[in-house]
Amino acid sequence: MERAKAWTIPATLTTTFELDYAVDAPDLRRLYENAKRDQWNASKDIAWSTPPAPDGRIIADELVDIYGSPLWDALSEADKVQLNRRIAAYRLGVLMYGEQGAMLACSQMVDLVEGTDHKFFQATQVMDEARHNEVLKRYIAERLDDLSYPMPRNEVELFESILGETRWYLKTIALQLVAETFAVSLFKLMAESARDPVLGEVCRRILGDESRHMGFGMLSLPDVVKNATPQERTELEDYTCYALEKTLTGFFPLEPYRDLGFTKAQIDEVRRYRRETAARNDYAPFRKYFKREMHGSMVTNLARLGLLTDRVRPRLEAIGVKLPA
Ligand SMILES: [Fe+2]
Ligand SMILES: [Fe+2]
């Protein structure tokens, strides 16, 4: 039965029951050991009682798309604070939904992957993502008056695709290498620029777990790529592009602007300002850092795995991803 706050995604999985528990992939077993060692607990390890910023800001104003534009300058101080809080709630909401999606995808991967080391590691990621989902929900509830926005369409589509997919390595490409690299860059940006000290702490805690998750992708995929037929290679490259397109486009925070009473014409102006800033690459320093950081790590990793080839260059350029020559 569909509930108002849940939806169902049909998926068929083949479960592999392992009977050999000897260490077979030492690098993954090391990640598993690290995961057990580094578990933290949002109920105890976050200083929830730390006072918020006196002016109520959550993130740096530079992270609001229209910062520095005439639209921004025209806002009252109270509206600037409101927009700051609402944009933060929107972005953290996108991340929180992503944590739920990651938890579900990894729980499927526990079944799908072969080898005990792979399964053990995925089991730790299920727990990591549950803790991330929990901590972000608590943050939004306690520090942002439980302000929640719906999951963006692109995010829904991406996770429907990941969760409906039967092959683990396609899930890994889209989740651990594309979506999580995007999330890591956003968490880093927010950790660096947080105005609310609790947000900085939450982001840093989450980041401590995320490098393991990308590590799984980087350790497990080379064999898949190496052994793929030419036809399978094409499929891997196309799925990588699909995940990049969904992740890098379409998270426009429409609702926060609406809440502030922006008219349709003003929202069109916001969109135009965003596009022009992107085209000129003329972001405020924090956003430049985000772009450099994300493209640096994501494109480098995907290219190193051989998933970004000249064949897909035009498709990537259309979404602003430049391949190294
Ligand atoms: Fe996570
Ligand atoms: Fe993760």
Side-chain angles (χ1 to χ4, degrees):
M1 194 180 76
E2 296 270 341
R3 288 177 289 124
K5 287 192 161 188
W7 92 97
T8 55
I9 300 156
T12 313
L13 299 176
T14 300
T15 301
T16 321
F17 196 121
E18 293 292 340
L19 297 170
D20 181 355
Y21 308 126
V23 177
D24 181 48
D27 287 344
L28 279 177
R29 188 62 76 116
R30 185 174 43 78
L31 282 187
Y32 170 69
E33 284 296 332
N34 293 350
K36 286 188 294 175
R37 183 192 64 200
D38 296 341
Q39 295 289 304
W40 49 275
N41 180 353
S43 308
K44 287 185 183 162
D45 298 331
I46 303 283
W48 292 106
S49 58
T50 309
D55 63 8
R57 279 180 169 80
I58 301 288
I59 50 177
D61 283 341
E62 285 91 329
L63 269 56
V64 179
D65 317 83
I66 57 167
Y67 175 79
S69 73
L71 284 161
W72 173 260
D73 295 336
L75 294 175
S76 68
E77 168 65 9
D79 280 352
K80 283 177 182 166
V81 171
Q82 267 313 305
L83 191 56
N84 180 302
R85 294 177 66 83
R86 284 169 188 276
I87 295 282
Y90 180 91
R91 301 264 180 239
L92 289 168
V94 169
L95 290 164
M96 179 182 69
Y97 298 128
E99 305 293 0
Q100 169 80 198
M103 178 185 76
L104 299 174
C106 292
S107 79
Q108 296 178 329
M109 280 199 272
V110 174
D111 283 275
L112 284 169
V113 292
E114 293 181 14
T116 300
D117 300 314
H118 288 70
K119 286 186 188 295
F120 282 3
F121 178 78
Q122 280 307 315
T124 67
Q125 191 174 345
V126 173
M127 185 55 187
D128 288 350
E129 306 301 0
R131 290 184 298 101
H132 298 172
N133 191 159
E134 175 208 350
V135 74
L136 289 178
K137 174 61 192 174
R138 179 160 175 189
Y139 183 85
I140 292 169
E142 289 191 14
R143 310 294 276 197
L144 279 164
D145 313 310
D146 217 3
L147 186 60
S148 72
Y149 290 112
M151 195 170 168
R153 193 65 229 158
N154 266 17
E155 193 177 21
V156 170
E157 286 172 9
L158 179 64
F159 278 105
E160 281 188 335
S161 169
I162 291 174
L163 294 168
E165 176 55 55
T166 54
R167 289 159 294 180
W168 71 267
Y169 48 87
L170 294 184
K171 292 182 199 287
T172 291
I173 288 175
L175 179 73
Q176 275 121 333
L177 293 172
V178 176
E180 296 202 271
T181 310
F182 174 83
V184 162
S185 302
L186 202 49
F187 280 125
K188 277 190 184 161
L189 177 70
M190 288 199 284
E192 299 271 329
S193 68
R195 293 293 312 280
D196 176 8
V198 174
L199 178 65
E201 208 185 334
V202 166
C203 292
R204 281 187 290 275
R205 284 287 189 176
I206 292 176
L207 283 167
D209 297 330
E210 290 300 337
S211 57
R212 294 194 297 271
H213 305 167
M214 279 178 285
F216 175 82
M218 295 306 289
L219 291 173
S220 62
L221 282 174
D223 273 352
V224 174
V225 179
K226 196 175 73 201
N227 297 323
T229 64
Q231 196 195 336
E232 286 166 342
R233 287 289 288 250
T234 304
E235 204 177 6
L236 292 171
E237 291 167 13
D238 286 343
Y239 201 66
T240 307
C241 288
Y242 165 80
L244 283 166
E245 285 161 357
K246 290 290 168 197
T247 306
L248 298 181
T249 62
F251 295 157
F252 178 71
L254 176 65
E255 294 86 351
Y257 290 105
R258 271 197 194 141
D259 289 352
L260 262 278
F262 277 51
T263 61
K264 190 181 171 303
Q266 284 172 316
I267 290 174
D268 288 344
E269 180 70 22
V270 174
R271 287 185 193 274
R272 201 170 53 80
Y273 184 76
R274 268 169 61 106
R275 268 199 311 275
E276 285 174 3
T277 320
R280 287 199 312 268
N281 197 14
D282 182 22
Y283 298 103
F286 278 130
R287 297 178 70 88
K288 266 195 184 138
Y289 165 83
F290 172 71
K291 230 188 142 180
R292 206 174 41 233
E293 157 75 30
M294 183 185 64
H295 281 228
S297 47
M298 185 164 352
V299 175
T300 311
N301 284 347
L302 293 170
R304 195 186 301 158
L305 289 167
L307 295 168
L308 303 179
T309 58
D310 270 328
R311 189 182 69 84
V312 295
R313 190 181 284 271
R315 192 168 164 187
L316 294 173
E317 277 172 4
I319 51 167
V321 174
K322 285 208 173 47
L323 281 188

